[in-house]
Amino acid sequence: MYVIKLFIFLQFLYVYSYGIQFDYIKLENIDKNNALLKVEKKNKLYEYVIEYKLEKNGYLNDNKLNTNFYDTNFYDLNNEDKQSVTFANSLYINDNIWLDLNFNYEDSLKKSIDNSIGLFSENKIYKQQSLAKLYFKHNSIMTSKLSFESINSNSNINIDTNGYRNLILKDKNKVSFDTKLGFDSIDVYTKIYQINDNYNKFYKDIDSDYIKNKNNISRGIELTFEKDFFESYLISSTLFRENNYYDYIYRKSDSNKKEKIDSESQGIKISIIKSFYDNLKLAMLAIISHNKIKNSNRKDLIGNKLKDKAEKQLNMNLEYKIKKIKLFSRLTHMSSRYANENNSKKLDVYTIASIGSSYYTKVKDKDIKFNFDIKNIFNKKYFIDSDTHGESRSYFFNMIMKF
């Protein structure tokens, strides 16, 4: 089936290439389950890359690979068919104006069988993503950028045996305008943006059904000052302010809930990156903010703090490299924050530390990387937010080989 799809796509490219001569065409990983086609074209005025990828994945609960969905009668089985198309294009209008365009389309079909209870389910997922950036270099010190980004996805889960259905639609659209002023002594960045985020869920089973809608609009502005001292310290500070408009609707046959919250957040981010030597680096990010609910359909919430929003945060990363080994440690600190908009319950302060290492080597001219991490080394109990427990101490080891 994949070979047929690739053949059709190649025919399309063959017709399209009558007007445009490709610089690069590559077809790889051809087997009955996976394939990748990549074409590329570059010249002085534009460049673009097109990728068409097909994947088929499956596994049994006994860890034996299986790509034929109906080959088993005894094991739980998961199977996924996936295809994606990526288009990246750059257009150079002149030395001072250029345009970047990126598009990605992805769809997959996941099927599952739980033979212990005879349950069959499938999940159809579609995702489209587009990103456009227009750059304009005004002069030797100033560059501006206008960006448009859109992400649309939906997930449709069906379980035939019990009439269950779960449809989730997500849309996220962002527009931003950025400028950079590069002076000899300091770089100055500005950003103005708006983000529209919509979440819609339709749930249905034998006993009940409901509809959940979440709409969120964020508008913000940022001003950043960045300075590199002696090619050793990179220090930046960002002043930010954001207004957020949240609208939540829950509909069920016997109940309805509606909530509107308008909030404001403002504060400062300070980032410091210090290179002690070529092999030792320290990175730190501190955030101090203030947030409050400005308006709501519930008058008792006005003036309260937002839930799950820590007003003081600190992240530190230390990295040391010696020959083929990299050692690193991470520290995350989060101040107390409220667990609800009523501000009746607080989540405790927490500090989490993690350590790890990586080892790089070669086997028969192939690069191999070994990773070993210990997360939450002091086994601290904490909440990430009001609904989510933090991860307890855990150990992670993996190996990555490039072919």
Side-chain angles (χ1 to χ4, degrees):
M1 179 180 67
Y2 284 168
V3 175
I4 295 174
K5 289 183 178 180
L6 278 174
F7 176 77
I8 295 173
F9 190 67
L10 282 168
Q11 293 301 308
F12 165 76
L13 289 178
Y14 177 75
V15 174
Y16 185 64
S17 62
Y18 266 110
I20 301 176
Q21 181 66 42
F22 293 123
D23 294 334
Y24 175 89
I25 300 178
K26 186 177 183 181
L27 185 62
E28 61 183 28
N29 295 337
I30 285 291
D31 58 37
K32 65 178 182 180
N33 297 317
N34 300 279
L36 172 66
L37 174 66
K38 183 176 181 180
V39 297
E40 187 175 305
K41 175 68 177 179
K42 293 183 179 181
N43 63 27
K44 293 182 179 180
L45 295 178
Y46 64 87
E47 62 181 70
Y48 64 81
V49 177
I50 301 174
E51 287 189 0
Y52 183 51
K53 189 175 184 181
L54 297 164
E55 299 175 83
K56 188 178 181 70
N57 301 292
Y59 61 89
L60 297 169
N61 65 355
D62 63 350
N63 294 322
K64 293 180 180 178
L65 184 65
N66 189 324
T67 55
N68 187 338
F69 184 67
Y70 296 102
D71 266 357
T72 180
N73 295 314
F74 305 101
Y75 299 104
D76 298 343
L77 178 65
N78 288 270
N79 195 308
E80 180 181 12
D81 290 317
K82 183 178 179 181
Q83 61 179 331
S84 63
V85 179
T86 301
F87 175 71
N89 181 75
S90 295
L91 177 63
Y92 305 98
I93 300 172
N94 56 44
D95 292 340
N96 299 318
I97 303 175
W98 64 97
L99 178 67
D100 287 343
L101 296 172
N102 295 274
F103 303 97
N104 182 68
Y105 172 80
E106 181 180 299
D107 72 70
S108 68
L109 176 61
K110 296 181 180 179
K111 297 180 180 180
S112 301
I113 292 178
D114 185 344
N115 282 302
S116 63
I117 56 177
L119 194 64
F120 168 79
S121 67
E122 66 176 20
N123 185 10
K124 297 179 181 178
I125 301 173
Y126 303 93
K127 184 177 181 180
Q128 301 177 55
Q129 184 173 1
S130 59
L131 176 62
K133 298 179 181 179
L134 177 63
Y135 295 85
F136 177 50
K137 189 173 183 179
H138 303 264
N139 48 49
S140 60
I141 65 170
M142 183 176 180
T143 304
S144 60
K145 178 181 68 175
L146 182 62
S147 303
F148 300 90
E149 183 176 7
S150 177
I151 302 175
N152 311 104
S153 64
N154 70 65
S155 172
N156 191 352
I157 303 175
N158 286 291
I159 301 179
D160 294 335
T161 55
N162 64 358
Y164 171 92
R165 186 183 181 191
N166 189 9
L167 176 62
I168 298 176
L169 306 176
K170 296 180 181 179
D171 295 301
K172 184 176 181 180
N173 299 285
K174 179 179 179 180
V175 57
S176 64
F177 179 72
D178 303 67
T179 64
K180 176 186 176 181
L181 289 169
F183 300 104
D184 292 336
S185 58
I186 195 170
D187 292 329
V188 181
Y189 301 85
T190 64
K191 177 192 285 285
I192 302 173
Y193 64 88
Q194 176 171 309
I195 303 172
N196 292 55
D197 202 344
N198 300 315
Y199 173 94
N200 299 284
K201 180 177 181 179
F202 305 89
Y203 176 89
K204 181 180 177 63
D205 62 22
I206 296 176
D207 300 323
S208 66
D209 58 84
Y210 67 81
I211 298 175
K212 184 186 292 185
N213 299 321
K214 296 179 182 179
N215 299 313
N216 199 79
I217 300 176
S218 302
R219 298 189 181 102
I221 184 170
E222 296 179 359
L223 175 63
T224 301
F225 301 93
E226 186 176 277
K227 173 66 176 176
D228 190 351
F229 293 93
F230 313 112
E231 297 182 352
S232 177
Y233 288 91
L234 180 63
I235 301 177
S236 69
S237 60
T238 300
L239 303 171
F240 66 89
R241 182 170 182 171
E242 181 179 275
N243 291 296
N244 192 271
Y245 308 92
Y246 174 75
D247 193 352
Y248 172 81
I249 299 175
Y250 176 87
R251 295 189 183 96
K252 199 174 180 180
S253 56
D254 57 350
S255 65
N256 290 295
K257 182 180 179 181
K258 187 174 183 179
E259 188 173 80
K260 289 186 176 182
I261 295 178
D262 297 346
S263 62
E264 179 182 83
S265 299
Q266 56 185 339
I268 184 172
K269 302 176 186 177
I270 300 175
S271 172
I272 301 175
I273 300 176
K274 165 63 177 173
S275 297
F276 296 96
Y277 305 100
D278 292 339
N279 57 352
L280 182 60
K281 180 187 290 187
L282 173 67
M284 182 188 75
L285 174 64
I287 304 175
I288 301 173
S289 63
H290 173 75
N291 68 79
K292 67 176 181 179
I293 297 175
K294 296 173 59 180
N295 198 8
S296 173
N297 62 324
R298 292 179 52 187
K299 301 303 180 184
D300 59 309
L301 299 183
I302 297 176
N304 286 1
K305 302 289 186 181
L306 293 170
K307 77 170 185 177
D308 299 329
K309 286 283 188 179
E311 296 193 334
K312 296 181 180 64
Q313 301 176 48
L314 177 65
N315 291 285
M316 296 182 65
N317 293 282
L318 183 63
E319 182 179 290
Y320 179 66
K321 293 181 180 179
I322 177 171
K323 295 183 179 180
K324 296 181 179 181
I325 299 174
K326 181 176 74 173
L327 306 174
F328 57 87
S329 62
R330 301 187 183 99
L331 184 73
T332 301
H333 174 80
M334 199 74 66
S335 67
S336 63
R337 58 251 182 257
Y338 288 101
N340 53 35
E341 277 92 3
N342 294 325
N343 291 179
S344 60
K345 181 182 177 181
K346 269 192 172 183
L347 301 175
D348 292 335
V349 177
Y350 70 83
T351 302
I352 302 299
S354 302
I355 59 174
S357 63
S358 297
Y359 176 71
Y360 303 84
T361 187
K362 282 181 177 289
V363 175
K364 295 182 178 180
D365 295 326
K366 298 186 184 297
D367 293 326
I368 299 179
K369 178 183 177 183
F370 296 92
N371 296 310
F372 178 68
D373 297 353
I374 305 176
K375 299 180 180 179
N376 192 3
I377 56 177
F378 301 115
N379 202 24
K380 174 74 174 179
K381 294 182 179 179
Y382 66 101
F383 279 88
I384 297 175
D385 55 45
S386 55
D387 301 318
T388 309
H389 278 278
E391 187 178 6
S392 58
R393 184 193 297 123
S394 59
Y395 303 88
F396 176 80
F397 173 80
N398 76 336
M399 180 191 75
I400 301 173
M401 176 183 288
K402 292 185 178 181
F403 295 93

